[in-house]
Amino acid sequence: MKNIEEAQRAAWHNFSSRLPENAKVLDLATGNGRVLAWLLNFKNNINAVGIDLSPHLPPSPNGTEIHCGVAMERLPFADDSFDVVTSQFGFEYGDCKLTAREINRVLTTGGRAGLMLHRGDGPILQHNVHRRAQIAWVINETGLLERVRAAANEGPTALREVTELAAARARYGERRWGHGSAAWEIPEAIRLTLMLGSNGPREKLHETLDAIERQARSEVERIDCLAEACSAADDRDALRHIFTSAGLAVVETIDVAENSGRRFASLIVLETR
């Protein structure tokens, strides 16, 4: 994904060239503050603020002020507080109507927003849809977890058999989808769990198996959220209506692409009217 990150950084570099001096910038769904860190690197005199719905975030980049547990649909800032609002793969995950209104409210007159949105036809969604299919194969089609759980209550011979079964499933997943795929990762994690925990307490073995399944199902939920976000971002007519209704004008839409030329995102630049 380094190619994608480099393209994102280049797009924000271009965007930063138009920022006013000493601009107050608000980044929505900031996560680890990557966009703010880039903007500060390009233009170190900005006042960088970020918000994110998550109550816990990694340490914020130097020179930034990050607010956790804040929804972009309900920003805790006064009207006309910022010169610029940014978001990278965040805006389309929320209520677009409410967030667009909040963007317009907190921006100064003539303020600018840059929203980098997913594309449903890009490699990010495609990669994740493939992973979802791999996870579904392991969790729903192979029946591996159910067989392992049953064997854990039957004794050493049954555990040896399901350990071999997990190894076979991992080999098949690797041949079909590749090393490092979810179809290899999950059965391999189960195999290792059986090898390391077969002589330990059965409760601990079950706990580890439950954790593997929870993580897999959580990834499926994340991918489903990504697919929904892509669908919202791809409906450009609806987005234009949302922006216009909120008092925001689309200045330009910039394709963001890999070195191969394959587009994976669009940077929509908006201004208050």
Side-chain angles (χ1 to χ4, degrees):
M1 290 296 182
K2 186 177 181 181
N3 189 358
I4 286 177
E5 184 174 322
E6 289 172 351
Q8 290 172 322
R9 189 178 188 276
W12 288 116
H13 188 194
N14 179 60
F15 179 81
S16 71
S17 66
R18 309 175 196 182
L19 300 186
E21 295 298 315
N22 302 306
K24 294 186 68 176
V25 180
L26 173 64
D27 188 41
L28 306 179
T30 195
N32 63 5
R34 177 177 297 175
V35 171
L36 291 177
W38 284 337
L39 293 178
L40 280 166
N41 183 254
F42 305 143
K43 207 155 195 171
N44 60 16
N45 60 5
I46 66 171
N47 183 343
V49 179
I51 64 97
D52 199 283
L53 187 59
S54 174
H56 305 291
L57 293 172
S60 58
N62 291 335
T64 65
E65 174 189 322
I66 305 297
H67 300 264
C68 300
V70 175
M72 55 188 170
E73 296 89 348
R74 295 179 297 279
L75 297 172
F77 306 109
D79 297 358
D80 307 318
S81 296
F82 296 92
D83 304 298
V84 179
V85 172
T86 59
S87 177
Q88 177 171 284
F89 299 160
F91 174 83
E92 63 268 46
Y93 284 87
D95 186 314
C96 295
K97 290 182 180 179
L98 293 180
T99 304
R101 292 173 191 165
E102 283 292 88
I103 290 172
N104 184 61
R105 182 183 68 79
V106 300
L107 276 175
T108 57
T109 301
R112 176 165 287 210
L115 307 178
M116 188 175 290
L117 308 181
H118 284 292
R119 291 181 62 100
D121 60 353
I124 295 176
L125 180 60
Q126 182 183 62
H127 168 78
N128 280 276
V129 167
H130 288 165
R131 279 192 65 85
R132 180 171 56 187
Q134 296 159 22
I135 294 169
W137 173 75
V138 176
I139 299 298
N140 301 324
E141 295 182 35
T142 66
L144 180 58
L145 279 165
E146 289 76 9
R147 294 179 69 172
V148 171
R149 289 190 177 104
N153 300 319
E154 294 175 9
T157 300
L159 281 174
R160 283 194 298 271
E161 291 175 353
V162 292
T163 300
E164 294 173 0
L165 176 63
R169 291 286 188 265
R171 288 193 299 270
Y172 178 83
E174 184 176 22
R175 286 196 305 272
R176 182 173 176 183
W177 284 286
H179 186 80
S181 66
W184 171 82
E185 288 174 354
I186 299 172
E188 178 65 7
I190 293 171
R191 183 187 72 83
L192 291 173
T193 296
L194 290 168
M195 289 185 64
L196 297 173
S198 59
N199 295 322
R202 291 294 176 262
E203 294 80 6
K204 182 64 176 178
L205 178 58
H206 282 293
E207 287 175 6
T208 305
L209 293 171
D210 289 345
I212 291 172
E213 183 173 13
R214 281 196 304 272
Q215 183 174 342
R217 295 194 183 280
S218 176
E219 184 170 1
V220 169
E221 291 176 3
R222 179 190 62 77
I223 295 169
D224 288 342
C225 287
L226 169 62
E228 291 178 9
C230 287
S231 178
D234 284 345
D235 193 344
R236 296 304 168 84
D237 289 339
L239 283 181
R240 282 187 176 275
H241 178 71
I242 287 170
F243 295 144
T244 300
S245 299
L248 298 166
V250 177
V251 176
E252 62 181 324
T253 299
I254 303 164
D255 289 332
V256 187
E258 298 178 298
N259 290 338
S260 65
R262 188 174 183 189
R263 297 172 293 181
F264 65 85
S266 297
L267 179 57
I268 299 179
V269 181
L270 308 163
E271 283 186 354
T272 55
R273 295 187 302 179

